[in-house]
Amino acid sequence: MGTAYETVGVVGLGTMGAGIAEVFARAGLAVIGVEADPDALERGRSHLSRSTEKALRRGKLTEEERAAILGRVTFAGDLGALRDADLVVEAIPEIMEAKRALFAELDRICGPGTVLATNTSSLSVTALAAATTRPGRVVGMHFFNPAPVMRLVEVVRTVVTDPGVAEGVAGLARRIGKTPVRVGDRAGFVVNRLLLGYLNRAVGLLERGVASQHDIETAMRLGAGLPMGPFALLDLIGLDTAYEICEVLFQENRDPSFAPSPLLRELVAAGALGRKTGRGFSAYTDEPSRPAP
Ligand code: 3HC
């Protein structure tokens, strides 16, 4: 029998985790957001509050709907709060050892029916499944940034995932308004594998002086019909995240087009990580979606 997903845990409340929590709460599920660091927990709480406040101002939500969404989300600093969750989505930083330790801990804490999912961008879902005693109930559930807007979820099935579990998670993705695609456990899955090579090559073009940042952005928006150019997208994804994905893809495939560009490396070393730090390829004002003039 498939799992009836009613209570979902989200571990890690950074940009992606907070967005994922919002998506589930908007779809009517009870959400438990867990973040060990109290400051990060507070940022996650205020992210949800600001995002729903913006939707209220734009007339996309009523006061009542906003209150209901906020009322469905509880926050905790401890994984013990996830004991009875039907599904837990992990959205912590892309560090394999930290993720494996978390999956082992979740496996100890959660009931045997809980499905454990990872939002990893490029790390091995199989390696995370192997850290648990329930590999059949471990999947990838990969959302895209901004999670409340982007309609795709990659459902990653390993060789040991129970096919019924993967189908149940795909059904859940549809229930929260997303379109699922089923993908195998290969670094970068489909979207990042195709997208990051392009983004990394765009940085290479800029470094070699083939065109200016502005002209590369314009070329890809107007010539390829993309909603944003490669540098705006890198700033949205986060340059550290993009760097890590390129590095994993390079290590796995030995394909030089994934070797992170020196300029990307330099910006990451300088702490210019994109919108989240207010500076990446562009500088950003307080309004995160608007580059500074
Ligand atoms: N959170 C919530 N909602 C947001 C948002 C955010 N961060 N950013 C924008 N929105 C909403 C706006 O409120 C608006 O909603 P409305 O239509 O209901 O009023 C809608 O999105 C459109 O926003 P804007 O009018 O401000 O701006 P745009 O029309 O330019 O859209 C965009 C912004 C949706 C970000 C669009 O430019 C886009 O689709 N860009 C490409 C994003 C993309 O490719 N993401 C995938 C990255 S890869 C990834 O995430 C994988 C990971 O593993 C790295």
Side-chain angles (χ1 to χ4, degrees):
M1 208 181 69
T3 306
Y5 294 105
E6 295 307 333
T7 302
V8 172
V10 179
V11 183
L13 295 175
T15 314
M16 286 309 291
I20 293 167
E22 178 178 343
V23 170
F24 282 122
R26 278 180 178 242
L29 285 96
V31 181
I32 305 160
V34 177
E35 178 57 80
D37 170 14
D39 291 341
L41 182 75
E42 220 25 66
R43 281 196 297 277
R45 194 196 297 271
S46 80
H47 186 285
L48 180 68
S49 173
R50 273 185 284 113
S51 179
T52 51
E53 208 262 330
K54 187 171 157 198
L56 176 69
R57 265 190 282 124
R58 288 176 168 231
K60 306 280 172 189
L61 286 177
T62 64
E63 284 279 9
E64 293 71 31
E65 285 165 340
R66 178 174 186 244
I69 291 168
L70 296 179
R72 279 195 281 273
V73 185
T74 53
F75 294 92
D78 191 285
L79 294 173
L82 301 172
R83 201 175 311 273
D84 299 321
D86 302 312
L87 168 77
V88 176
V89 181
E90 165 276 312
I92 67 170
E94 296 285 88
I95 302 164
M96 178 51 97
E97 278 325 302
K99 285 188 193 268
R100 277 179 61 88
L102 175 61
F103 270 69
E105 187 69 6
L106 288 170
D107 186 44
R108 270 193 294 278
I109 288 170
C110 298
T114 305
V115 172
L116 303 180
T118 174
N119 181 54
T120 185
S121 306
S122 56
L123 298 179
S124 164
V125 181
T126 310
L128 300 180
T132 74
T133 59
R134 65 182 83 195
R137 300 186 77 71
V138 176
V139 290
M141 193 174 191
H142 184 217
F143 291 80
F144 294 83
N145 190 357
V149 181
M150 304 306 286
R151 293 177 50 213
L152 187 73
V153 170
E154 287 178 323
V155 177
V156 187
R157 200 173 124 177
T158 74
V159 283
V160 286
T161 305
D162 174 344
V165 168
E167 276 319 295
V169 169
L172 175 65
R174 279 191 292 273
R175 187 173 145 204
I176 60 175
K178 306 295 184 192
T179 298
V181 289
R182 285 100 173 143
V183 300
D185 189 20
R186 292 288 182 282
F189 316 122
V190 171
V191 174
N192 282 341
R193 190 164 186 143
L194 295 176
L195 187 61
L196 267 295
Y198 148 68
L199 294 175
N200 194 40
R201 281 195 292 273
V203 182
L205 280 189
L206 178 63
E207 271 189 307
R208 289 196 296 280
V210 174
S212 69
Q213 177 174 327
H214 179 266
D215 284 353
I216 296 171
E217 295 285 72
T218 304
M220 293 314 291
R221 277 193 300 105
L222 304 188
L226 300 177
M228 46 175 44
F231 305 106
L233 185 52
L234 280 162
D235 282 351
L236 176 71
I237 292 172
L239 304 195
D240 51 343
T241 303
Y243 180 88
E244 289 302 329
I245 300 170
C246 282
E247 190 63 37
V248 171
L249 286 166
F250 178 56
Q251 295 301 337
E252 185 171 300
N253 300 292
R254 292 281 147 197
D255 173 346
S257 68
F258 292 122
S261 300
L263 178 56
L264 188 58
R265 188 188 304 264
E266 232 176 300
L267 286 164
V268 171
L273 306 182
R275 287 186 184 189
K276 61 187 167 188
T277 57
R279 188 182 175 85
F281 284 97
S282 297
Y284 295 86
T285 59
D286 289 350
E287 176 63 59
S289 59
R290 201 153 296 145

